[in-house]
Amino acid sequence: MAANLFGRYVWLIEEFRRYNRLTYEDINALWRKSGLSYGENDNLALRTFHNHRKAISDIFDVDIVCDAKDGYKYYIDNPENLENDNLRIWLIDSYTALNQIQADKKLKGRIIFEDVPSGHKWLNTITDAMRNNKVLNITHQGFGKSDSNSFDIEPYYLKVVKRRWYVLARSPFYSNLNHKKNKEDGENQCEDVYMIYALDRILDCRITETSFSMKKNFDINKYFYGCCGVIRSEEVPIKVVLKAYNGGADYLRTLPIHESQCELDIKDDEATYFELKVCPTFDLYQALLAQADQIEVVEPESVRNEMRNYIGNMMSYYK
């Protein structure tokens, strides 16, 4: 029953995302046609609708309000807050697809999801530690490393990039080491050290009894500012101009390499130009090489040279 209620909440949010403003009569008509109802005679009672509104506010922090001046139409208040929250949108979209599959057996086996192959087993442990502000002890073995190491981390954020789960954490060991060094050098400001770990490289993970408090001045957006994935750079983001040929422009428009990407108003019958403000990390070059036959780096010359190096190495493999 709880799962069915959750499905109703997600369905209701999705209808308002689709139609924007709806009267109760509109909502009831949509409900009768949905796969979640029991047919044309199954009405969504007004009291039930209001109970769903309250639950949606409590669970998703989405307020569905009524505009009495516009024919008592309901709508999502401040929808931009929802649309800009990637996690909530991902959860809603995922459950919407699940609703459709469960409601229509004809769709069973016809929706294929790209699986995240590893790292799932530690998600519950890490989220529990994050929720309760508990230090984790992990055993980690990086790619190319012959030995593993065990150490404590303070888990701050989880992030998914290119089918891999990552945990961003404060390192107590390196932070304390940094603090000690700064004091010895007579410096008052002590910088904390943050690390990112791929969950598929964690061999063991357990919650300790030690508690921690997240640093109030830590800003995740500032930490990853200018980054295209999980690799962080201390460098200031630079302007990168791309030239897209043939269908490359459509790929960049529909799936931007970075949130800073914008299309430039340059007249060229053979290509379209885009500008990004990014840090030139390995993540950026991976994204560029993924469409290497359709895009060209115009500037800066440093990024063009690095692309030449990558492409030269690739050519050597096929000689």
Side-chain angles (χ1 to χ4, degrees):
M1 181 63 179
N4 186 38
L5 277 175
F6 195 84
R8 287 177 173 222
Y9 304 153
V10 172
W11 171 83
L12 201 52
I13 294 172
E14 190 59 25
E15 294 308 299
F16 280 108
R17 288 180 68 203
R18 181 185 301 179
Y19 296 107
N20 193 16
R21 285 175 171 252
L22 296 165
T23 63
Y24 163 69
E25 289 74 21
D26 295 331
I27 296 161
N28 193 32
L30 290 168
W31 168 254
R32 290 197 298 266
K33 294 178 182 178
S34 75
L36 295 176
S37 74
Y38 293 104
E40 286 294 328
N41 295 322
D42 182 21
N43 292 308
L44 183 67
L46 181 60
R47 182 177 178 179
T48 302
F49 167 62
H50 289 313
N51 288 337
H52 288 359
R53 286 175 58 205
K54 184 180 184 305
I56 288 169
S57 179
D58 293 339
I59 297 171
F60 296 97
D61 195 23
V62 173
D63 292 322
I64 298 173
V65 297
C66 180
D67 186 352
K69 295 180 180 178
D70 187 26
Y72 289 93
K73 289 184 178 178
Y74 294 87
Y75 63 95
I76 294 176
D77 192 29
N78 297 318
E80 63 279 359
N81 293 340
L82 172 62
E83 298 301 330
N84 291 332
D85 189 327
N86 292 337
L87 177 60
R88 280 194 294 173
I89 290 299
W90 175 70
L91 287 170
I92 290 168
D93 288 345
S94 299
Y95 210 96
T96 298
L98 181 61
N99 273 346
Q100 291 284 36
I101 296 170
Q102 289 180 329
D104 192 342
K105 293 181 180 179
K106 293 179 181 178
L107 294 178
K108 188 176 181 180
R110 293 177 60 187
I111 297 177
I112 302 170
F113 184 75
E114 187 175 30
D115 184 32
V116 179
S118 57
H120 299 100
K121 62 185 298 185
W122 308 122
L123 281 177
N124 284 342
T125 303
I126 294 173
T127 52
D128 281 348
M130 290 169 60
R131 186 182 305 109
N132 297 299
N133 290 331
K134 290 293 184 180
V135 171
L136 284 169
N137 182 266
I138 68 170
T139 301
H140 182 272
Q141 185 171 6
F143 288 158
K145 302 290 184 180
S146 57
D147 298 316
S148 61
N149 293 293
S150 296
F151 46 86
D152 290 344
I153 63 170
E154 298 173 359
Y156 273 35
Y157 291 89
L158 281 165
K159 187 174 185 179
V160 181
V161 177
K162 297 174 184 174
R163 300 174 65 202
R164 294 188 193 276
W165 281 97
Y166 296 86
V167 57
L168 173 70
R170 178 183 177 272
S171 168
F173 176 79
Y174 287 111
S175 294
N176 293 337
L177 200 66
N178 204 25
H179 292 179
K180 182 179 178 181
K181 182 179 181 300
N182 287 346
K183 285 183 180 179
E184 290 174 352
D185 294 340
E187 297 179 14
N188 293 325
Q189 188 172 357
C190 298
E191 292 292 333
D192 286 302
V193 178
Y194 300 90
M195 311 284 281
I196 193 156
Y197 304 96
L199 269 60
D200 56 10
R201 274 153 258 180
I202 295 177
L203 306 180
D204 192 25
C205 181
R206 62 180 182 83
I207 299 176
T208 71
E209 295 297 321
T210 306
S211 300
F212 74 93
S213 297
M214 283 185 65
K215 300 294 181 179
K216 293 182 179 179
N217 61 346
F218 183 81
D219 186 338
I220 186 66
N221 295 317
K222 184 178 179 181
Y223 185 84
F224 281 120
Y225 179 66
C227 300
C228 293
V230 294
I231 300 175
R232 183 174 178 262
S233 174
E234 296 287 348
E235 298 179 16
V236 176
I238 61 174
K239 181 177 76 171
V240 176
V241 177
L242 306 177
K243 188 176 183 180
Y245 300 94
N246 303 319
D250 291 330
Y251 279 99
L252 289 178
R253 289 189 188 105
T254 53
L255 194 61
I257 290 176
H258 187 257
E259 60 188 14
S260 65
Q261 179 181 302
C262 62
E263 189 169 337
L264 300 178
D265 187 17
I266 297 177
K267 301 299 180 184
D268 188 330
D269 294 335
E270 297 182 352
T272 306
Y273 292 78
F274 296 87
E275 179 183 304
L276 301 85
K277 266 206 148 179
V278 290
C279 298
T281 63
F282 181 63
D283 285 329
L284 172 65
Y285 291 112
Q286 277 193 318
L288 296 175
L289 289 167
Q291 300 179 51
D293 64 330
Q294 293 182 310
I295 60 176
E296 173 192 352
V297 176
V298 177
E299 59 176 272
E301 193 61 28
S302 59
V303 177
R304 282 179 63 86
N305 285 334
E306 194 63 25
M307 287 293 288
R308 289 190 187 101
N309 292 335
Y310 280 113
I311 293 168
N313 290 336
M314 290 170 62
M315 289 180 65
S316 69
Y317 300 152
Y318 295 94
K319 285 184 179 179

